[in-house]
Amino acid sequence: MPNRLKDSASPYLLQHKDNPVDWWQWEPAAFEEARRSGRPVLLSIGYAACHWCHVMAHESFEDDATAAVMNELFVNIKVDREERPEVDQIYMSALQQLGVQGGWPMTMFLDAEAAPFWGGTYFPKEARYGQPAFTDVLKTMANAYASGDPRIGNNRVAILERLRQKARPAGRVTIGVNELDDVAGRVLGIMDPEHGGLQGSPKFPNTPFLELLWRAYERTGRESFRNAALHALDGMSEGGIYDHIGGGYSRYSVDERWLVPHFEKMLYDNAQLLPLLALAFNETHEPLFRTRAEETVAWLEREMIVEGGAFAASLDADSEGHEGRYYVWTLKQVLEALGAEDAEFFARHYDIAPFGNWEGVSIPNRLKEVERSGAEELRLAMLRDKLLEVRSKRVPPGRDDKVLADWNGLMIGALAEAGTRLDRPEWVELGARAFRFIAESMVKDGRLGHSWREGRLVFPGLSSDYAAMIAAALALYQATGEGDYLARAREWSDALERHHASEDGGYYLTADDAEGLILRPHATADDAVTNPNALIARNLIRLATFTGEDAYRERADRLFDGLLPRAQPSLYSHAGLLNALDTRLRGPEIVIVGEEGLAASSLLEAARQLPRLDVAIQRVGDLATLPDDHPARAKVQSHAGVVAFVCAGGVCSLPVTEANRLAEAVAVINGRG
């Protein structure tokens, strides 16, 4: 019989509804049962696309004997980390306090008040490679809990105290441009000069680091910073981590060459890479970056759109019980699909080897340098389309079709920015459609929810939802000029302030009226995505620019004052916050003033295609719409016609009337002219 998870909206939890384990969802009733029965809680956290989560499920959670031990000794709770990231954040931090390397599946042992006392990640069914068998772990933890082992209490107290200490900043720290350049220089020193990205393996896209390097290039003009970011984008775009047949990037590469991916595809990875691809194309005009952006959006439209126009969370790594089976090829399969001549041609360009390049099969990649003419690229594109058609008949990987406000917000903003940079207005509309769904279906009383599936909303939302959706609203406002987006950004910013603001100037992940947690998570370091506090800081700075209200900028300053002391001991893990600080210190604003016409359109187009991060662009038809104290007002009054001004730090450039002079004006205002 199905267990309690049958009533869940989460695809991940539904994967476990037929387990013999007596699973509970994360809810007060589960802890009431733990108190009533005197049993500890076993908390298992994972997500739908997680390969090792599937392995542990098959080995242990689907095994009757293991499930019997779990049911006898524990109250078992299963959590989808994407649906309840606040729960995941608390216990991942606790696991790390125990000195255990974090990861998923996460297995934590809690008392009846939800306080953690021990944990780990994947445990095998049978003891091997120095890891104890899962049932041995279960019996040991249950016995220690039942016997009142003092180590249980000591661990619990020590973990909770460390978690609380992490939430208390100690003093004030000053970080400026020199410190930002120093951190960027140290990051540059650990980049892989051969393959791109950070040295070693596994290799993650790590977009906050790439952005950190790019910003250092903007500040200093040192091309080594830019080139390191471009080298990483090039490596992952030619490697097997990129799906050359269907588009889109996998989560990470298990090797140092970007060849062998962990085949799951996450919405957030592709959302964070898409704007960088567009930026890289604006800088270099290298077709590779534009092509990868176009192919990634094509994948998004083909495989990730769900009801109402929003985007699904992820695609699984596995299909038919094997990781990557959907994506890999044998030479025989390529021959059958393309015929001998075309197969030989395709195999040469995409490394399809007779005995494979990974575990007897081939992962298509273009890591080998092969000269290709325009005609050959066109031929390869036609062959990829044929292989995509063949692949579409395979059993596809599972899709987690829940709609997450934060991940959707990242993708909506990415579509608005990349669509504007690459002159693809249909991408902006694709993002606008997803935005409309979330604004209509995932909002209650002006507040965002976090997750939606089949008409059920997980509410209230998290600060990550507000951070990403406010950023999406501001990106759409800049792309379209429609004031409703700006109004929505202000409304959500107010709700965020009311329900998530913390005493130290930052923002708690959970709302003040959220229930069922032992404390309110307040992490500041980046995870797989940029930390929400960093995104919020950037939003506040842009709101100050677009509205002319200094209160937003002052609020951002309070955030930096409170959180930089926490970031200082581990600046590498706070790249997102450092990037936001860079926006605060020198983020340029371009104001284009004057009547509609060819001159204004030319300046606007040039502004949108500047290879600069966080440029705020305002198109002002009437000078009166600028704030009274805006530094451009006095200058524009003495100049007739359509003009542009580049402003930063309360100072504006001389008027610019020629589109090809905008880049020069930006360099001057940033101190590089």
Side-chain angles (χ1 to χ4, degrees), residues 215-268:
R215 289 172 180 274
Y217 162 63
E218 291 183 2
R219 288 190 303 270
T220 67
R222 286 176 54 191
E223 293 185 354
S224 56
F225 288 123
R226 178 201 62 186
N227 292 345
L230 291 172
H231 190 26
L233 287 172
D234 184 277
M236 67 182 80
S237 295
E238 296 286 46
I241 189 176
Y242 181 75
D243 179 1
H244 291 268
I245 306 302
Y249 294 81
S250 295
R251 179 72 193 93
Y252 62 89
S253 168
V254 302
D255 65 305
E256 65 179 9
R257 297 178 53 227
W258 300 108
L259 173 62
V260 183
H262 190 35
F263 288 89
E264 64 194 23
K265 284 185 186 177
M266 314 302 294
L267 184 66
Y268 60 75

Side-chain angles (χ1 to χ4, degrees), residues 264-278:
E264 64 194 23
K265 284 185 186 177
M266 314 302 294
L267 184 66
Y268 60 75
D269 285 316
N270 288 278
Q272 293 177 108
L273 283 166
L274 182 57
L276 289 179
L277 292 169

Side-chain angles (χ1 to χ4, degrees), residues 67-147:
V69 175
M70 294 173 66
N71 295 338
E72 177 187 357
L73 300 179
F74 294 90
V75 173
N76 302 288
I77 298 177
K78 174 62 74 173
V79 166
D80 180 344
R81 70 174 291 260
E82 296 166 359
E83 188 175 69
R84 299 300 301 266
E86 75 281 21
V87 176
D88 177 69
Q89 189 177 114
I90 288 172
Y91 295 103
M92 181 60 73
S93 182
L95 186 63
Q96 292 166 346
Q97 295 299 326
L98 287 167
V100 178
Q101 179 68 39
W104 299 276
M106 191 196 325
T107 307
M108 292 297 293
F109 297 93
L110 321 179
D111 66 16
E113 305 306 319
F117 58 84
W118 199 75
T121 52
Y122 162 79
F123 291 102
K125 182 181 176 182
E126 307 293 340
R128 63 175 183 266
Y129 304 127
Q131 286 187 295
F134 186 44
T135 51
D136 291 339
V137 173
L138 296 174
K139 292 172 182 177
T140 300
M141 288 298 103
N143 288 336
Y145 186 83
S147 67

Side-chain angles (χ1 to χ4, degrees), residues 5-23:
L5 301 186
K6 70 181 186 301
D7 299 321
S8 171
S10 160
Y12 174 64
L13 299 191
L14 290 173
Q15 289 175 359
H16 295 270
K17 67 181 175 60
D18 295 317
N19 292 169
V21 178
D22 185 20
W23 288 117

Side-chain angles (χ1 to χ4, degrees), residues 303 316 318-320 326 391-399:
E303 299 186 34
D316 206 332
D318 299 8
S319 57
E320 300 183 87
Y326 185 74
R391 195 177 79 175
S392 69
K393 296 178 173 60
R394 298 177 178 177
V395 176
R399 184 175 78 159

